[in-house]
Amino acid sequence: MGASDESDLRRWAEPDPPDEPTGQHLVAVPGPDGHRQRPPGTAQAWENTDQAQAAVEHADGPEPPAPPLCPQCGLAGERRPTYYGRHILLEPGLSAPAHLVPAGHRWYVDAGGRAWNSGCDEPEPGAVCRVPHRPACPGLTPEEIGLGPWLDGVRAANERRARHQADAGMIPGDLPDVG
């Protein structure tokens, strides 16, 4: 190993002087772009995605140290952290069979106390999930809760299925008297 090789190794192994008074050390990345590093405090690449996911999943519970109270109705909820650094308010002590809770509103709590949303994944048979406060909040309209689009999607899918059955001639001749 030559003298220049040893100095290169030393340069990569030794931390750069701190950029901030907090004592944060940046280590140069090997290669031609080693001098390009994000300034301290810059958002990471995934933070925008995390913020978007939190907005879609309504993980907008009050952050500590604020009390876990719903800003719309003032009721207390069970605040749980999510895997993307936000908090969700769950209905205290309320669990429900997952197949009865609309997709996107099924929350589960892991052994470490973190809540995660299963999104549109089909629940396992017999699964029980936690119910977020948002769909049960008396301070929100159904449109604000977000169940309207879910039901509209179900209705549209049923309409397509019904039209398909009608086109295929699979509709019974007489409908039963239900009223």
Side-chain angles (χ1 to χ4, degrees):
M1 196 185 290
S4 65
D5 293 337
E6 288 177 14
S7 65
D8 285 344
L9 285 176
R10 228 182 351 260
R11 185 178 63 165
W12 297 124
E14 294 173 4
D16 290 340
D19 289 341
E20 293 184 331
T22 61
Q24 179 182 17
H25 295 279
L26 296 177
V27 177
V29 179
D33 291 332
H35 64 285
R36 295 183 185 190
Q37 293 193 12
R38 293 179 183 272
T42 304
Q44 298 295 325
W46 59 85
E47 286 184 38
N48 289 338
T49 303
D50 288 348
Q51 290 173 1
Q53 183 176 356
V56 167
E57 295 179 348
H58 303 291
D60 55 2
E63 299 294 323
L69 301 176
C70 174
Q72 283 78 29
C73 70
L75 291 174
E78 183 181 327
R79 177 174 45 208
R80 294 291 183 154
T82 64
Y83 280 99
Y84 42 82
R86 302 298 174 140
H87 287 81
I88 180 78
L89 279 182
L90 301 175
E91 281 294 302
L94 178 61
S95 297
H99 70 279
L100 297 178
V101 178
H105 296 277
R106 298 179 193 121
W107 285 84
Y108 301 91
V109 179
D110 69 12
R114 291 198 182 274
W116 57 277
N117 187 329
S118 65
C120 294
D121 293 346
E122 190 65 27
E124 295 290 325
V128 176
C129 68
R130 296 296 307 274
V131 178
H133 173 72
R134 187 175 182 83
C137 180
L140 296 172
T141 65
E143 291 79 24
E144 292 171 314
I145 292 170
L147 293 178
W150 176 79
L151 290 175
D152 291 343
V154 172
R155 286 189 194 103
N158 284 342
E159 182 180 1
R160 287 190 298 275
R161 288 180 35 221
R163 287 186 190 277
H164 178 68
Q165 286 180 349
D167 292 344
M170 297 187 309
I171 298 229
D174 293 323
L175 295 175
D177 183 15
V178 293

